[in-house]
Amino acid sequence: MIEGEFAVPSLGALADEVATVLAGRHDPGVVVFERLLNAVVSHSFRDRQALAAALGGVPREFKVIPHGQVACLATIVGAAIGPVRAEGSGENSRAGWLELCQHEALGYIAGARAGEVAAWLRAGDHVPFLLSVPSRPTGAVEPYALVERLTEYERLGLRPGPADLGQALLRCGGPIDPDVVRAAESLESVEGVRLAAWLRQGGLPHPAGRREREAGEAERPSKRRGARIGRRILVGHEAIEGRGAFPRQFWSLFRVFEPQISCPHWTLPDYRDAHTVATLPWHPDIAAARLLTGVASAADQDGRGSPAFLEALAAADGPAGPAVHLAVAYGLASLPERDREAAVRALVLLAERGRLDGELLGRELTELVELGTLRVPLLTESLRAAVAEPEGAGAVWAVLATALPGLLARTRPQLHGALLAVAADSARLSGARGELPEVTALARRPGSSQLLKQAGRLRDALAGA
């Protein structure tokens, strides 16, 4: 039922892998975490005593705070090997739940599923596998696989957990084969009827986005630690219909998202990683929009980086919209080197997959530089690195063909000699042709400065000289 890299390992292999992940304390990645989570559930269904014997000796204490997924796995293992208690399977985990921050919407969903699984295991309730275990490393669940899983649940007379089913539905989207819809329509359970309707509508709707620029003039850089510079561009979205069919912890996702809303999100756990994108793999723009404030903080102050998040956004199955492109824009000029490297990989991956909107990213980079939010030297360094990647030259030129005219017209040209050099290299390597009037005008000026020299190189490259 669950095959490939997410297949359930043997008990011995499971114990070894769990021990390795818990000892490492670092992010295990989407594939490893989801496989182990599902494997604990599956082995508990087969033989709980054997599972407890295999995992009972695995240390679950941490001297240093581990990654959130590691802590979650430790909790799940503890629930699986501990004594069975008489409690509702998941109901108690929802009691008294309170939404604190719209930015953490996808974290609430992940927490609801983990809490539900832990409650099942503590209560001795068993299911053969999770409906929401991914079919792909991105987190996506194939529609036909979900139909098969629900068919097996019906055969065994089992009801899925609301959070597990909800997460499975959010991971199921994209082009739907009519034969798969017909197979879903043959299911008899309430959940089967819901799945068939979900597939007919194409999964979760894509809400209308809303681009917002912070009010006020650009600020000068400050030597004070953590001080903001510039102004950010953020993205919100309208409400999504259908929240009533999901657990309450999912409702924050469906609300209107106002990106500049005041909330205490900085005091809560940070979900800027690949697991967050895997919660909603067909809607990376929602994930990017919700967490764009944190991504931007690595570029305009000394915020923590989010390299895994940037790469996961580019690798996701759904369309890359304004929020994804803005996340890449901030990443390309972030202070942490790992973020810049990840943003370069994300830029190239978007281009390779035909999902890069060079004009959009070029416009965003131009405005963010003009606002004082992005540092030109860091941006230049990242784009130079991207040109050196296979297929990178075309991606960089697709961006700079739009960005350069605005940068040369609206910011100090003297800043952009090195950027023009990168543009010339990208144009030459990608075989770009045409003319940028702003560049031609610069190249015609008398003088021997680096700015004029590189303008001439770019002009000649675009002319095929």
Side-chain angles (χ1 to χ4, degrees), residues 25 100 106 157 159 221:
R25 304 191 311 275
L100 296 177
L106 301 186
R159 297 290 302 277

Side-chain angles (χ1 to χ4, degrees), residues 106-315:
L106 301 186
Y108 296 149
I109 293 171
R113 183 183 63 146
E116 184 176 81
V117 170
W120 282 345
L121 295 170
R122 284 193 295 266
D125 295 335
H126 303 298
V127 294
F129 44 76
L130 295 176
L131 296 178
S132 57
V133 62
S135 306
R136 308 180 194 173
T138 59
V141 173
E142 298 291 355
Y144 72 84
L146 187 50
V147 172
E148 288 182 342
R149 294 171 193 177
L150 268 179
T151 299
E152 180 65 7
Y153 268 54
E154 284 193 8
R155 187 186 71 80
L156 296 172
L158 297 173
R159 297 290 302 277
D164 182 36
L165 175 61
Q167 173 64 101
L169 292 176
L170 292 180
R171 285 177 164 172
C172 188
I176 308 295
D177 188 332
D179 289 339
V180 176
V181 176
R182 284 190 287 272
E185 290 171 340
S186 68
L187 295 170
E188 299 178 355
S189 64
V190 173
E191 293 80 12
V193 172
R194 183 178 172 194
L195 172 59
W198 185 260
L199 296 179
R200 282 194 298 269
Q201 76 174 26
L204 185 74
H206 289 269
R210 190 175 62 253
R211 182 179 180 277
E212 296 184 12
R213 196 188 99 174
E214 289 183 328
E217 298 300 320
E219 301 174 0
R220 293 183 179 277
S222 169
K223 294 182 180 179
R224 180 170 58 84
R225 180 176 173 81
R228 287 277 304 281
I229 64 171
R231 284 289 183 267
R232 293 171 179 168
I233 301 171
L234 303 172
V235 176
H237 66 73
E238 300 302 322
I240 307 172
E241 295 184 359
R243 76 176 190 182
F246 290 84
R248 280 193 62 195
Q249 295 99 316
F250 287 54
W251 287 9
S252 182
L253 168 67
F254 292 81
R255 302 187 198 282
V256 173
F257 175 56
E258 302 172 76
Q260 300 188 57
I261 192 171
S262 177
C263 60
H265 62 273
W266 55 85
T267 65
L268 298 174
D270 197 320
Y271 297 101
R272 278 180 282 127
D273 56 25
H275 302 275
T276 300
V277 182
T279 301
L280 210 61
W282 292 100
H283 296 73
D285 229 50
I286 291 180
R290 296 278 176 153
L291 297 172
L292 205 53
T293 297
V295 175
S297 72
D300 64 10
Q301 58 187 119
D302 57 352
R304 188 181 72 80
S306 46
F309 183 66
L310 293 171
E311 291 191 70
L313 289 174

Side-chain angles (χ1 to χ4, degrees), residues 47-95:
D47 189 337
R48 183 180 177 114
Q49 289 185 342
L51 176 67
L55 297 182
V58 176
R60 292 180 287 113
E61 301 296 328
F62 304 102
K63 294 182 180 179
V64 179
I65 297 176
H67 185 274
Q69 255 56 41
V70 176
C72 176
L73 182 61
T75 299
I76 296 297
V77 169
I81 66 177
V84 173
R85 308 172 191 170
E87 62 179 54
S89 58
E91 289 302 321
N92 290 342
S93 68
R94 296 191 291 275

